[in-house]
Amino acid sequence: MGDASGKLTMKLIILEDETKATEWAAKYIRNKIIQFNPGPERYFTLGLPTGSTPLGSYKKLIEYYRNGDLSFKYVKTFNMDEYVGLPRDHPESFHSFMWNNFFNYVDILPENTHILDGTAPDLDAECKAFEEKIKSTGGIELFVGGIGPDGHIAFNEPGSSLVSRTRVKTLAMDTILANARFFNGDTSKVPTMALTVGVGTIMDAREVLILITGAHKSLALHKAIEDGVNHMSTVSALQQHHKTLFVCDEDATSELRAKTVRYFKGLSEVHNKLVEPLYSMKQPCTIKQFE
Ligand code: PGA
C-alpha cells in the first residue's frame, strides 16, 4: 500500500519544544480525519500509542472536540500494545490510560476502540483476532506512535523481526526500567510481558506519524533516520514505509547531523502547509488532495 503517487516519503518536522511538537501532531491528525470525511459507511481508522509523549496531543484533540471542530463519532481506533496480566481496570493498564487521558473526553463509541486484552485466556488467539479486526476494518489509515530511547516502536524491542505481526513479547530490561516510573519506581511491579502489534502491522498502515521529544530520545532518532534499517532499532524499519512523518522537538535532534537538521528545517514552510489551514468540522472541507 502506498500513497496515490506511489512515491516513498519521509518527513522530519522539527518544532521548538515538546508542547509545539505534540500540538503539531494533533493538528495533523485533526486535518487528516476531516479531510477523510468519515461517516457511517466510511470510518477513519487510527492507530494510537500510550506513554508520556502523546499526552499533549490527546489534550489538544480533546480541545478540538470540545470546540466543535472535530468529532470521533466515525473514527475507529487500535492501540499499539497492552501489558500481559494487568486487568483492564488496573490504573496502569493501557486500557485505563486511553480512557482516562482521551476516550472519556471525546465522542468516540466504546465499540469502536480496540485495545488488546492482556488477560485473555489465549493470548495468541487474542493477537490473531486483533490482526483480523484491523484487516476487516480495511486497515489503518494513520498509525501514531512514540518510540523508546532504545528505538523500539510499540513493544518491538531491539532484535524484533521487522516483519513481525501482533504477538506476545518479553520486555527488555531498558523498557522495564523506563516504565517503572508508572509503578512507583518499583521494577518488580512492571509486567515483564506485553502484547504488541508487530513492526509489519505498523508498516501496513497507509501512513505513520512518530512523535519523538526530549534529549533522551536523540540517539534513537539518529538511528531511526540516519543509520540503516536495523532490527536493533525497530523504528528504523519506517525508512522503507511509503509515508512516514517524524515529528520531534529541538532536544531530540541533538544527535542528528547538522546538515540533516538544516535540510529538514529548510522544508518547514512546505511541511507547515499540512496543518495550515487547520480544517474544522464546522465548515465543509473543500480540499480534495491532502499530501
Ligand atoms: P514514552 O514511551 O512516550 O513514555 O517515552 C514511548 C515508548 O516507550 O514507546
Side-chain angles (χ1 to χ4, degrees):
M1 276 178 279
D3 65 354
S5 64
K7 65 179 184 211
L8 288 167
T9 60
M10 191 209 83
K11 295 181 172 67
L12 175 68
I13 321 283
I14 304 167
L15 283 307
E16 207 177 311
D17 56 28
E18 179 170 5
T19 308
K20 291 206 166 76
T22 54
E23 182 175 4
W24 197 100
K27 286 179 176 173
Y28 189 80
I29 297 165
R30 165 173 161 174
N31 272 7
K32 283 298 284 189
I33 295 173
I34 298 175
Q35 169 78 29
F36 188 87
N37 192 21
E41 305 298 325
R42 186 177 152 79
Y43 278 76
F44 186 90
T45 308
L46 188 58
L48 292 176
T50 56
S52 313
T53 320
L55 281 173
S57 299
Y58 290 145
K59 281 205 181 89
K60 278 283 160 194
L61 290 171
I62 293 166
E63 195 182 303
Y64 301 153
Y65 162 70
R66 287 190 173 149
N67 292 341
D69 291 312
L70 184 61
S71 164
F72 294 87
K73 193 166 170 206
Y74 299 116
V75 173
K76 290 188 185 190
T77 62
F78 286 88
N79 264 82
M80 290 190 138
D81 39 24
E82 177 58 286
Y83 288 121
V84 166
L86 286 196
R88 281 171 177 232
D89 58 1
H90 186 286
E92 295 308 333
S93 76
F94 290 170
H95 191 272
S96 296
F97 177 98
M98 288 310 296
W99 282 93
N100 295 339
N101 292 297
F102 186 38
F103 296 153
N104 272 332
Y105 305 101
V106 295
D107 60 345
I108 195 156
L109 299 171
E111 61 268 33
N112 291 333
T113 65
H114 304 92
I115 304 177
L116 286 150
D117 179 1
T119 61
D122 183 341
L123 295 174
D124 291 335
E126 173 69 11
C127 293
K128 201 162 171 257
F130 198 73
E131 285 277 342
E132 276 158 15
K133 192 85 197 166
I134 293 175
K135 221 169 160 187
S136 71
T137 61
I140 292 175
E141 206 53 45
L142 174 65
F143 219 133
V144 180
I147 63 169
D150 61 0
H152 71 213
I153 177 147
F155 275 132
N156 294 287
E157 302 288 25
S160 293
S161 156
L162 299 184
V163 292
S164 50
R165 312 301 309 186
T166 305
R167 68 210 184 290
V168 184
K169 275 298 283 186
T170 302
L171 302 185
M173 189 40 86
D174 280 349
T175 302
I176 293 174
L177 289 173
N179 290 5
R181 69 192 196 275
F182 300 114
F183 294 82
N184 296 323
D186 184 349
T187 50
S188 72
K189 292 216 171 74
V190 185
T192 55
M193 293 203 298
L195 304 185
T196 179
V197 294
V199 181
T201 321
I202 298 165
M203 291 292 282
D204 281 352
R206 284 184 274 284
E207 188 169 358
V208 182
L209 186 158
I210 301 295
L211 255 175
I212 306 168
T213 57
H216 64 303
K217 302 272 177 83
S218 57
L219 202 54
L221 179 58
H222 156 68
K223 288 191 176 162
I225 68 169
E226 291 185 323
D227 259 7
V229 174
N230 189 315
H231 68 169
M232 297 312 284
S233 161
T234 53
V235 66
S236 67
L238 290 170
Q239 290 174 25
Q240 297 191 327
H241 188 269
H242 305 278
K243 200 172 179 189
T244 294
L245 286 111
F246 288 91
V247 182
C248 69
D249 64 0
E250 289 273 1
D251 286 350
T253 66
S254 46
E255 294 287 342
L256 294 182
R257 291 184 194 112
K259 67 178 180 186
T260 305
V261 174
R262 209 178 308 124
Y263 172 72
F264 284 106
K265 279 194 172 170
L267 289 171
S268 64
E269 225 172 276
V270 178
H271 291 162
N272 282 338
K273 292 202 176 113
L274 297 168
V275 295
E276 293 160 11
L278 196 52
Y279 306 136
S280 168
M281 283 187 173
K282 288 180 198 156
Q283 287 138 20
C285 175
T286 51
I287 314 290
K288 290 271 180 292
Q289 184 62 39
F290 186 69
E291 278 217 65

